[in-house]
């Protein structure tokens, strides 16, 4: 009996140690995510906060699709890092205060493949590589970098792509004014920003009121704030529902 009690105590102690080790690993992972996200934001001052918003919108779409908590977490991280490849783009192109030339746009288009390559060196990010690589593919095959079409495009990439386009439309850029929420939804549904999966278009229609609430609540305007902790807690709460 004494041996069993001692063994039970040792097992409990090891479990505590494992929990503590896991907690430290998780904290380190979250810190790495936050650090990389800040680096991307610092690189492209004109779209600061964009990745946070894309992450948020993508999770809303994924939840509407009925995806589980683990999938939503992957979508969240993919949204945060979808533009990490822009770290490889020269500043004179990335920060150009005007429309890009055709040649410059070809350079910009390398960011999705470069981003996947950067993240491929970190084991924890392997699950999101397809979304990062293919988030500029389009359902009709007219996207990049590989010209994938229809179901050839990973669904996670399609989700991030829709969130990416929506935020680009409702955000002010150096070359355009921000469109209203209503106009942005209309443009996406009419195919003015490329062709999207009909299933995702249905999800977009279903969550359009929620997206509008996000804009009206000021989420869109918080470009210079650290949104990561807020996103993390909100998404955790929502995916547990």
């Amino acid at each position: 009996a004494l041996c069993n009690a001692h063994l039970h105590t040792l097992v409990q102690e090891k479990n505590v140690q494992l929990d503590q080790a896991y907690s430290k690993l998780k904290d380190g992972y979250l810190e790495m995510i936050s650090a990389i996200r800040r680096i991307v934001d610092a690189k492209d001052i004109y779209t600061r906060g964009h990745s946070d918003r894309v992450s948020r919108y993508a999770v809303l779409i994924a939840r509407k699709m009925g995806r589980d908590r683990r999938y939503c977490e992957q979508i969240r991280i993919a949204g945060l890092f979808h533009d990490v490849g822009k770290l490889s783009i020269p500043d004179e192109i990335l920060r150009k205060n005007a429309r890009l030339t055709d040649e410059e746009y070809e350079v910009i288009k390398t960011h999705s493949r470069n981003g996947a390559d950067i993240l491929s060196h970190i084991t924890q990010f392997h699950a999101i590589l397809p979304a990062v690589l293919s988030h500029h593919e389009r359902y009709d095959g007219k996207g990049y970098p590989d010209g994938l079409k229809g179901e050839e495009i990973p669904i996670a990439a399609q989700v991030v792509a829709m969130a990416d386009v929506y935020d680009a439309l409702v955000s002010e850029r150096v070359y355009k004014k921000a469109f209203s929420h209503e106009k942005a939804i209309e443009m996406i549904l009419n195919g003015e920003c490329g062709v999207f999966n009909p299933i995702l278009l249905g999800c977009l229609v279903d969550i359009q009121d929620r997206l509008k609430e996000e804009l009206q609540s000021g989420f869109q305007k918080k470009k210079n704030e650290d949104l990561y902790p807020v996103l993390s807690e909100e998404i955790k709460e929502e995916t547990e529902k």
Side-chain angles (χ1 to χ4, degrees):
L2 288 175
C3 289
N4 287 338
H6 180 62
L7 181 61
H8 181 69
T9 299
L10 287 176
V11 169
Q12 286 184 320
E13 290 176 352
K14 290 299 181 183
N15 284 337
V16 170
Q17 291 173 4
L18 286 172
D19 286 342
Q20 291 174 341
Y22 173 75
S23 179
K24 289 181 179 179
L25 284 172
K26 184 178 180 181
D27 289 344
Y29 175 61
L30 295 177
E31 288 172 358
M32 179 170 58
I33 290 174
S34 182
I36 296 175
R37 180 184 61 81
R38 287 174 182 273
I39 291 171
V40 174
D41 269 358
K43 175 75 172 180
D44 189 358
I45 60 175
Y46 295 122
T47 59
R48 185 166 295 164
H50 168 68
S51 294
D52 289 306
R53 297 189 298 272
V54 169
S55 175
R56 173 63 173 167
Y57 301 149
V59 169
L60 292 177
I61 296 170
R63 290 186 63 237
K64 188 61 187 178
M65 295 170 63
R67 298 300 177 129
D68 61 23
R69 178 178 177 178
R70 181 178 180 181
Y71 186 88
C72 288
E73 175 65 8
Q74 289 181 354
I75 286 292
R76 182 178 72 83
I77 302 303
L80 287 174
F81 287 162
H82 74 286
D83 275 344
V84 69
K86 287 185 176 179
L87 293 173
S88 66
I89 305 300
D91 286 349
E92 59 268 23
I93 294 178
L94 195 61
R95 300 186 180 189
K96 184 177 179 180
N97 193 21
R99 282 189 175 275
L100 300 174
T101 65
D102 291 343
E103 292 77 13
E104 291 168 337
Y105 183 56
E106 288 301 315
V107 175
I108 285 288
K109 286 166 62 176
T110 66
H111 82 274
S112 54
R113 193 178 298 282
N114 291 342
D117 180 63
I118 291 170
L119 296 177
S120 70
H121 298 284
I122 305 174
T123 302
Q124 293 94 326
F125 294 144
H126 283 184
I128 69 169
L129 295 183
V132 174
L133 174 63
S134 302
H135 73 277
H136 279 291
E137 301 286 359
R138 289 296 177 264
Y139 209 64
D140 59 358
K142 295 182 179 179
Y144 64 85
D146 298 312
L148 301 181
K149 184 176 182 180
E151 300 308 314
E152 295 175 348
I153 309 170
I155 190 63
Q158 296 183 49
V159 170
V160 172
M162 178 168 283
D164 189 24
V165 167
Y166 173 77
D167 186 67
L169 290 173
V170 298
S171 301
E172 184 174 347
R173 298 289 172 85
V174 293
Y175 55 84
K176 75 169 188 66
K177 298 289 186 179
F179 291 105
S180 69
H181 163 78
E182 290 78 12
K183 183 60 177 178
I185 296 294
E186 177 187 328
M187 292 173 71
I188 294 174
L189 295 179
N190 289 343
E192 296 179 48
C193 308
V195 179
F196 288 94
N197 188 327
I199 294 176
L200 294 187
L201 290 174
C203 291
L204 181 69
V205 171
D206 289 342
I207 67 168
Q208 60 179 314
D209 291 341
R210 181 66 185 277
L211 291 174
K212 187 173 183 178
E213 289 175 5
E214 295 287 354
L215 293 180
Q216 292 176 336
S217 67
F219 188 89
Q220 156 71 10
K221 297 177 181 178
K222 298 177 181 179
K223 293 183 179 179
N224 298 316
E225 296 181 14
D226 185 3
L227 298 174
Y228 179 80
V230 177
L231 284 168
S232 182
E233 288 306 312
E234 287 188 1
I235 292 170
K236 179 180 178 182
E237 291 173 2
E238 291 177 357
T239 52
E240 287 176 344
K241 290 180 181 178

